[in-house]
Amino acid sequence: MRDRLLHALCLVLWVLAMDPFSFAADVDGPGSGLVGHWTFDECSWAGDCVTADMTDGSGLGRHGIACIDGDAPFPVPGKIGNAARFDGLSQYADMGSGFNFTSGFTASLWVALDDYDWCGPTGKSQHIIGTHHLPTPAGRGRGWGIYWDCDGLAWELTNGSGSAIGSYGYVQPSPFPENGSWHHVALVYDGAIPAATLYWDGAPIYSESGVANVPGSLYDNGEPLTVNCLLYTSPSPRDCVSNLVCRLLLEKGGGGGGGGGGGGG
């Protein structure tokens, strides 16, 4: 089953802040700037869900940890250098708290799924990245997330009060990706408009705007940013993705673009 679930993901996620070094104290301050850069290019990690050795190259010291203890992701060749391989069952990367962006962010990633037409081990969507971890009805109290939702790409954005998922965007790329093929994905959220846009291989493929469709601010639930699984059923994570991850960047602000990823491979 693990072999069937395996897919590869080269993730680039970025978030802008005017003074990146104030990020830990003021994640949602004014302006923009790089606040995180994880290449996952190390030769190994402790894999004990304690040691922060997934290096953050931004200079902010936001090093991630490989989980779960004794059965964590490990480096393998990826799209660009090495990547972290996840089994799709319980392995994930915890990048820490402070990534609950409320007014704007850009997240981008390289992804190559082993099976693009599959709904995950629980028959539901597969969590790629985000802060959606609280087990509350109808998504109340959750943060933001990017998913592969059975056979398409999706976002979820929880409204500023935390009362509901304020926006759900979904698109099935065309042509539909071949299993194992690499593609560049990006999500741009701008609360000032408000608007959200998904990019696929550098081109916008789905967008929503206006307060009727996209919340003007997002909820800060205080949960950590994770790559792969959701944690709200801890110690048994759910909605995991079997994948590889590399080149994770975070950028704060809603004006970023989704390009720069190149084509699929």
Side-chain angles (χ1 to χ4, degrees), residues 37-96:
H37 179 201
W38 300 270
T39 66
F40 300 106
D41 206 23
E42 294 82 16
C43 295
S44 65
W45 301 298
D48 56 8
C49 212
V50 175
T51 305
D53 53 2
M54 293 177 137
T55 304
D56 171 20
S58 72
L60 301 176
R62 306 306 300 271
H63 309 309
I65 60 176
C67 298
I68 55 176
D69 184 15
D71 185 19
F74 53 90
V76 298
K79 175 69 176 180
I80 306 170
N82 281 346
R85 177 176 176 176
F86 299 87
D87 64 4
L89 300 177
S90 60
Q91 297 175 341
Y92 65 94
D94 185 338
M95 316 320 292

Side-chain angles (χ1 to χ4, degrees), residues 12 67 77 94 119 126 147 151 156 161 218:
V12 184
C67 298
D94 185 338
C119 293
Q126 301 170 84
Y147 297 81
D151 55 4
E156 286 188 4
S161 66
L218 304 183

Side-chain angles (χ1 to χ4, degrees), residues 184 186 197-206 258-260 262:
H184 187 262
T197 302
L198 281 170
Y199 291 77
W200 181 261
D201 289 339
I205 58 168
Y206 186 77

